[in-house]
Amino acid sequence: MDDMLDLIQWPAFLASLAAAWLVASDTRRRRNWGFWVFLLSNVLWTAWGWHSRAFALIALQVCLAALNLRGLRKTEPSG
């Protein structure tokens, strides 16, 4: 089980890269998806951090998730 949890860091890594690419897009729709993918990466990094007892990483992911929610709210069309 520990080996499986160690592997979470790789999908988290890939999600973070994909999210950064999407957020840098010129289109609102891709930027919007980027924030959702960033939130997924926050969850994955938090799971890996919990398993690894990396509590500073967990704190960072909570703060980054808050910023990602802010970005998501700003990129959503206002209606």
Side-chain angles (χ1 to χ4, degrees):
M1 179 76 166
D2 284 347
D3 290 338
M4 289 300 290
L5 288 173
D6 279 338
L7 295 177
I8 289 175
Q9 66 185 315
W10 294 108
F13 164 80
L14 292 173
S16 297
L17 282 179
W21 183 79
L22 288 166
V23 167
S25 176
D26 289 336
T27 65
R28 181 184 297 237
R29 184 169 184 236
R30 284 189 182 149
R31 282 193 308 271
N32 191 39
W33 270 105
F35 287 113
W36 284 108
V37 176
F38 261 134
L39 287 169
L40 170 65
S41 77
N42 296 136
V43 170
L44 292 171
W45 280 121
T46 299
W48 184 80
W50 187 265
H51 162 71
S52 300
R53 303 181 63 84
F55 300 115
L57 178 65
I58 294 169
L60 173 64
Q61 295 309 309
V62 169
C63 294
L64 290 175
L67 292 172
N68 290 327
L69 289 171
R70 179 179 181 261
L72 187 60
R73 190 172 54 245
K74 286 180 155 278
T75 197
E76 287 283 339
S78 47

